Amino acid sequence: MEERINFDKKRIILGILLAIVFLRLSVWFILEPERFMRNFLSSETKNVIFGIVASVFFLAGLYSIVMLLPRKCAIIICEEYIIDRSRYEAIGKIRWDEISKIQRLKKKSIQFFFKEEKRIQSPNDNLLKKFLRWAHNWEYKKSIIISSVFLECDIDTLEMKIKKAYRKSRYKKNKVLPKKPSPTQDLLNKT
């Protein structure tokens, strides 16, 4: 059985608008650093540096949110794996047997821990995807974070569906099936 969780386009549009507002504010730090001297940082140079760093971060965030607009499905949950496409930098298909632990992270996220350090980057990943993974999760080699911010369902429903599929996969893996007798064994038993 496969469950699909779609994006909420209204939330994506709201995220784009917020990223634009913060990007404009960070550009304002670059263009008029003297305006923020008393309120924020003590020198124009620090304000310009802050504005440049913030501009790069919010521009990357804006691009990553815009790239979600054409996508319909964010997460696919099956008995064998989960496919995460909920962010631009998401790694895609993750098998349940690669995961050691699943836990709730703050109010809107779920964190998956890998049994061994997983190669998160693929050869096709660009610098932006690597930067965004690092910016959202400092332990990106040991775990990934799936957020419900842009999804149609809330975090409780998402967590329930994920943990249900994870438990089901572990149960199937640990279930011991009776051995089927070999044809020679079957003949010996009849005589």
Side-chain angles (χ1 to χ4, degrees), residues 19-36:
I20 290 171
V21 167
F22 286 120
L23 181 62
R24 289 193 61 155
L25 183 63
S26 59
V27 169
W28 196 13
F29 268 87
I30 298 169
L31 298 177
E32 297 182 35
E34 66 279 351
R35 181 174 273 231
F36 300 99

Side-chain angles (χ1 to χ4, degrees), residues 37-53:
M37 279 183 47
R38 272 190 245 148
N39 298 335
F40 193 67
L41 297 171
S42 59
S43 75
E44 287 183 26
T45 308
K46 289 179 183 175
N47 283 337
V48 170
I49 291 170
F50 174 78
I52 291 170
V53 170

